[in-house]
């Protein structure tokens, strides 16, 4: 049997294979962030499709951290019943699900949050409107909000949580010298830029106990002038391991990184796939912690090679599951043809507009078949 279909254990969480549905903002929640039947159905469908682990779309831990309409929320206890229904839909189908906890910082939409977005530093030109530099009390309150959200995830029955510290959302902004110009204990050296993130990880660990999986997704590099570089990211990774994190999902890029953004287009050959593989390997060598690799994985053989040569322990995909929720069952059944996703990223538009994520190509094909 392929190593990819071996069961593994991540701090008590049993995963039936090494495939992960990477966090994907579905744009299917209600206006206040509550899970809707449509979102709950999608989670069930993904579980049915065989992925070993499903990570929810980023859920905002605080109302000021909302990034898009119809984004999932986890900022209030009133949202727990909807979150529990998502978990139940997955568990009933023998799946495993982790909640991604997020705050979008300067990427928050002013119209949605009714105020200026919070940021590590109020740097001009990074957003259309004014930004509000976070005071120490704001940092403390946000660390608490992540802890509260983790407790909610735990009581809703999630198998673990993942801290979103990638793609220039708030915690990624703190890590990045391009976004963080602070002169206090939260800015400057990598130890200081990583401090908020470490406090979030420690705070969550204190709330959920030792035996609850706490994962993190972080940038290996920003691919921005003056942004986060690999060496600093590796140091932050080591600090996070010390803080009690159980696995690191290695990503990279920001929405300002042009072609080198986190969600890259034009993945045609096997060589184009797994575009953070060199960074993941560096993490494997320097930080002794399970590594989840995301970004452009499309072929079973590539995925298998990455595990066999110890580049990564888990393979994470987003866009392939939008087109083919049953991809892992297909591969498991012996049909090892490449994922049909063509990586045009057209799925982003309906997701970010709050209209519900779908594969634009697949929808067009289905419409043609009906005609
Ligand atoms: C529609 C869409 C929504 C996404 N939402 C999130 C998110 O909520 N959190 C996150 O960490 N990454 C998010 N991503 C990025 C993916 O998790 C992943 O890192 C990226 O798409 C590269 O993987 P892929 O090539 O398999 O799509 C999203 C990607 C897409 C296409």
């Amino acid at each position: 049997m392929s190593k990819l279909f071996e069961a593994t254990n991540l701090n008590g969480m049993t995963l039936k294979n090494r495939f992960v549905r990477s966090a994907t903002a579905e744009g299917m929640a209600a206006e206040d962030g509550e899970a809707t039947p449509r979102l709950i159905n999608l989670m069930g469908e993904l579980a049915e499709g065989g992925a070993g682990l499903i990570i929810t779309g980023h859920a905002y831990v605080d109302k000021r951290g909302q990034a898009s309409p119809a984004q999932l929320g986890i900022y209030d206890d009133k949202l727990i019943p909807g979150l529990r229904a998502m978990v139940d839909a997955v568990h009933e189908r023998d799946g495993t699900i982790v909640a991604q906890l997020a705050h979008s910082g300067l990427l928050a939409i002013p119209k949605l949050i009714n105020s200026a977005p919070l940021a590590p530093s109020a740097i001009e030109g990074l957003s259309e409107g004014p930004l509000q530099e976070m005071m120490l009390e704001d940092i403390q309150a946000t660390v608490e909000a992540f802890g509260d959200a983790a407790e909610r995830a735990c009581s809703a029955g999630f198998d673990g949580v993942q801290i979103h510290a990638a793609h220039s959302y708030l915690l990624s902004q703190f890590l990045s010298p391009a976004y963080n110009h602070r002169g206090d204990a939260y800015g400057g050296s990598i130890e200081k830029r990583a401090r908020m993130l470490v406090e979030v990880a420690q705070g969550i660990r204190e709330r959920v106990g030792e035996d609850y999986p706490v994962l993190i997704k972080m940038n290996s590099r920003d691919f921005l002038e003056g942004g986060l570089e690999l060496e600093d990211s590796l140091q932050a990774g080591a600090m996070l391991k010390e803080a009690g994190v159980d696995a690191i999902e290695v990503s990279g890029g920001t929405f300002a990184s042009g072609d080198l953004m986190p969600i890259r287009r034009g993945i045609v050959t096997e060589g184009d796939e797994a575009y953070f593989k060199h960074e993941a390997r560096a993490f494997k060598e320097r930080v002794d912690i399970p590594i989840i690799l995301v970004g452009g994985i499309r072929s079973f053989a590539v995925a298998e090679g990455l595990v066999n040569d110890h580049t990564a322990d888990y393979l994470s995909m987003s866009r392939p599951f939008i087109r083919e929720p049953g991809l892992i069952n297909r591969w498991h059944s012996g049909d090892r043809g490449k994922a049909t996703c063509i990586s045009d990223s057209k799925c982003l538009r309906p997701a970010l507009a709050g209209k519900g994520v779908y594969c634009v190509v697949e929808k067009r094909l289905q419409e043609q078949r009906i005609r």
Side-chain angles (χ1 to χ4, degrees), residues 129-145:
L131 295 172
Q132 188 185 318
E133 179 166 320
M134 288 174 86
M135 304 274 104
L136 291 180
E137 305 85 78
D138 298 318
I139 294 179
Q140 195 49 45
T142 307
V143 169
E144 290 288 317

Side-chain angles (χ1 to χ4, degrees), residues 17-142:
N17 57 54
R18 293 177 187 268
F19 292 107
V20 178
R21 195 300 286 249
S22 192
T24 303
E26 296 87 0
M28 289 183 185
E31 204 179 319
D32 67 351
E34 191 181 15
T36 55
R38 189 176 175 207
L39 182 53
I40 295 161
N41 283 343
L42 175 64
M43 291 297 132
E45 197 185 354
L46 285 164
E48 193 102 37
L53 175 63
I54 296 164
I55 303 178
T56 66
H58 62 161
Y60 51 107
V61 300
D62 183 285
K63 278 187 163 183
R64 269 185 98 169
Q66 188 176 356
S68 52
Q71 185 189 349
L72 184 65
I74 192 162
Y75 60 85
D76 192 287
D77 287 354
K78 73 173 184 183
L79 302 166
I80 292 176
L83 294 165
R84 190 174 293 128
M86 281 172 75
V87 170
D88 289 347
V90 171
H91 286 171
E92 279 159 16
R93 292 164 180 84
D94 192 28
T96 305
I97 182 166
V98 154
Q100 190 184 57
L101 311 180
H103 189 301
S104 50
L106 65 81
L107 293 180
I109 309 284
K111 252 203 307 212
L112 289 175
I113 65 171
N114 294 317
S115 58
L118 292 168
S121 308
I123 302 168
E124 271 185 39
L126 287 182
S127 69
E128 279 176 26
L131 295 172
Q132 188 185 318
E133 179 166 320
M134 288 174 86
M135 304 274 104
L136 291 180
E137 305 85 78
D138 298 318
I139 294 179
Q140 195 49 45
T142 307

Side-chain angles (χ1 to χ4, degrees), residues 21-26 55-59 71 100 102 162 164-167 169 217 249-252 255 262-264 267 275-276 294-298 316-322 341 343 345 347-349 351-352 357:
R21 195 300 286 249
S22 192
T24 303
E26 296 87 0
I55 303 178
T56 66
H58 62 161
Q71 185 189 349
Q100 190 184 57
Q162 183 183 60
H164 190 0
H167 310 166
Y169 288 92
K217 182 172 184 178
E249 184 171 358
V250 176
S251 190
F255 289 101
I263 309 165
R264 295 189 191 171
I267 303 157
Y275 42 78
F276 300 121
V294 70
I297 297 162
R298 301 289 180 268
S316 197
M317 293 177 274
S318 165
R319 288 167 290 173
F321 289 120
I322 297 173
C341 170
S343 311
S345 298
C347 47
L348 263 177
R349 192 179 285 221
L352 298 185
V357 69

Side-chain angles (χ1 to χ4, degrees), residues 66-302:
Q66 188 176 356
S68 52
Q71 185 189 349
L72 184 65
I74 192 162
Y75 60 85
D76 192 287
D77 287 354
K78 73 173 184 183
L79 302 166
I80 292 176
L83 294 165
R84 190 174 293 128
M86 281 172 75
V87 170
D88 289 347
V90 171
H91 286 171
E92 279 159 16
R93 292 164 180 84
D94 192 28
T96 305
I97 182 166
V98 154
Q100 190 184 57
L101 311 180
H103 189 301
S104 50
L106 65 81
L107 293 180
I109 309 284
K111 252 203 307 212
L112 289 175
I113 65 171
N114 294 317
S115 58
L118 292 168
S121 308
I123 302 168
E124 271 185 39
L126 287 182
S127 69
E128 279 176 26
L131 295 172
Q132 188 185 318
E133 179 166 320
M134 288 174 86
M135 304 274 104
L136 291 180
E137 305 85 78
D138 298 318
I139 294 179
Q140 195 49 45
T142 307
V143 169
E144 290 288 317
F146 271 96
D148 292 343
E151 263 192 76
R152 281 181 204 113
C154 210
S155 44
F158 281 97
D159 299 291
V161 291
Q162 183 183 60
I163 303 165
H164 190 0
H167 310 166
S168 68
Y169 288 92
L170 182 68
L171 297 173
S172 164
Q173 291 157 23
F174 266 87
L175 278 177
S176 173
Y179 293 95
N180 181 347
H181 292 181
R182 300 177 73 93
D184 63 4
Y186 293 90
S189 65
I190 183 58
E191 285 78 12
K192 290 180 174 173
R193 279 179 279 127
R195 180 168 169 176
M196 180 174 183
L197 184 47
V198 168
E199 287 180 1
V200 165
Q202 286 169 337
I204 289 178
R205 184 54 80 206
E206 274 166 26
R207 303 285 198 97
V208 298
E210 289 302 312
D211 304 329
Y212 192 70
V214 178
L215 284 47
I216 190 155
K217 182 172 184 178
M218 63 187 288
N219 271 8
S220 51
R221 308 171 194 261
D222 284 346
F223 300 101
L224 273 186
E225 203 170 322
L228 180 73
E229 294 295 346
L230 181 60
E231 183 53 38
D232 279 358
S233 176
L234 292 168
Q235 281 192 44
M239 291 162 72
L240 289 159
K241 187 195 169 209
E242 285 305 306
V245 164
D246 296 305
I248 299 178
E249 184 171 358
V250 176
S251 190
T254 74
F255 289 101
S257 310
D259 289 345
L260 301 180
M261 68 180 297
I263 309 165
R264 295 189 191 171
R265 298 188 183 90
I267 303 157
V268 181
T269 66
E270 289 195 355
D272 298 330
E273 293 191 32
Y275 42 78
F276 300 121
K277 57 177 175 265
H278 300 299
E279 289 80 4
R281 185 171 266 280
F283 266 87
K284 264 313 280 167
E285 282 164 7
R286 285 275 295 278
V287 191
D288 183 19
I289 193 168
I291 295 297
I292 306 170
L293 172 58
V294 70
I297 297 162
R298 301 289 180 268
S299 308
F300 187 87
V302 168

